[in-house]
Amino acid sequence: MSRIRTTTLAAMAASGLVGSLAVLAAPSALAADTATVSVLHAVPGVPVDVYANGEELIPDFQPGTLTDPLELPAGSYDLAVYPAGSDPASTQPAASADDVAVPAGANATIVAHLTPEGTPVLTPFVNDTSAVPAGQARVTVRHTAAAPAVDVRAGGAVVAPGLTNPNEAALTVPAGTVSADVVLAGTSTVAIGPADLSLAEGTNTIVYAWGSGDAGYQLAVQTLSGLHSSPSGVPGGSAGQADDSLPTPLLALSGAGLVAAALAGRRLLASRV
């Protein structure tokens, strides 16, 4: 198992998210004049309309839904979400972010979610599409829930300590099944899991924890495939696409075990908020 890599994203939100999508853009893809952008609605209970540069991009966007990858021209975008069906001319956005830079060749996911205090925000995450060594898989965990810090464990060992909203942690592991759970930071109190997570070779499996104590905590999964270091030897995938085996809306991780685990952890997390 590789050393954990943790990225802090709070500063990006505080600075208006300017230029944040350029941080991890793959150099090999920068010749393109478009970017791949997915959007995850992780604010519970509120259907929204998503606008980019004043134009409606996604109407009636339901909570828990991850869009198919959108090919957008590279450039700068003013993003806003409004309650579904409202008039932007007379309605304040539920969340907005101006001058979000979308560089050519980037693969990113923009998440509408709650802060730890329950305020809706927009946070962009740049997805790591770099090659994964043969026989390996990458797993990324993103904390986007109205909840306190957590520790993520794999095989009983803490691999992402003190993960807070809106941060992420990533590591590379042998392809296969990983037993993982989430505990309240600094404790052994299990909030979600344990559950087995199937990680295919040459993929980046991105797990989002989202929701709130009142509405319940949910998990969503996005899978980026085709990241093999020797793609000719293994069937490739389409980087940036949500796992075709998962339902949309993505209201749970694949497998009923994680659904049950998420619901079981609801009260534990709520008690610490």
Side-chain angles (χ1 to χ4, degrees):
M1 184 177 296
S2 68
R3 177 174 295 183
I4 193 75
R5 174 172 57 81
T6 303
T7 303
T8 302
L9 297 170
M12 289 159 44
S15 62
L17 312 179
V18 178
S20 56
L21 293 181
V23 177
L24 295 176
S28 61
L30 293 180
D33 59 0
T34 62
T36 300
V37 179
S38 302
V39 184
L40 173 64
H41 183 354
V43 177
V46 183
V48 298
D49 298 331
V50 180
Y51 282 74
N53 293 343
E55 299 293 330
E56 187 176 74
L57 181 66
I58 309 170
D60 195 28
F61 197 29
Q62 297 295 316
T65 303
L66 175 70
T67 67
D68 289 333
L70 306 170
E71 294 297 325
L72 299 179
S76 181
Y77 289 84
D78 294 339
L79 302 175
V81 295
Y82 295 86
S86 62
D87 181 0
S90 59
T91 306
Q92 289 294 317
S96 63
D98 294 337
D99 297 324
V100 177
V102 179
N107 184 305
T109 303
I110 298 172
V111 184
H113 67 100
L114 298 177
T115 66
E117 297 74 31
T119 302
V121 293
L122 291 171
T123 299
F125 295 86
V126 177
N127 301 318
D128 188 351
T129 58
S130 61
V132 178
Q136 302 286 300
R138 181 177 298 119
V139 60
T140 304
V141 182
R142 294 172 175 170
H143 189 339
T144 59
V150 298
D151 295 337
V152 180
R153 303 191 303 187
V158 175
V159 295
L163 189 62
T164 56
N165 178 335
N167 297 335
E168 67 175 4
L171 66 158
T172 302
V173 299
T177 301
V178 175
S179 179
D181 61 6
V182 176
V183 298
L184 301 178
T187 77
S188 59
T189 303
V190 176
I192 302 175
D196 291 339
L197 183 61
S198 181
L199 307 175
E201 181 183 16
T203 63
N204 183 1
T205 299
I206 306 172
V207 181
Y208 300 85
W210 65 281
S212 67
D214 290 338
Y217 293 100
Q218 304 284 350
L219 295 169
V221 171
Q222 179 181 17
T223 301
L224 311 182
S225 57
L227 309 185
H228 308 282
S229 56
S230 300
S232 61
V234 184
S238 178
Q241 294 220 358
D243 189 335
D244 290 338
S245 67
L246 293 170
T248 301
L250 293 176
L251 296 181
L253 288 173
S254 56
L258 285 182
V259 178
L263 295 175
R266 173 179 173 179
R267 291 183 179 178
L268 290 171
L269 281 173
S271 67
R272 294 299 184 93
V273 176

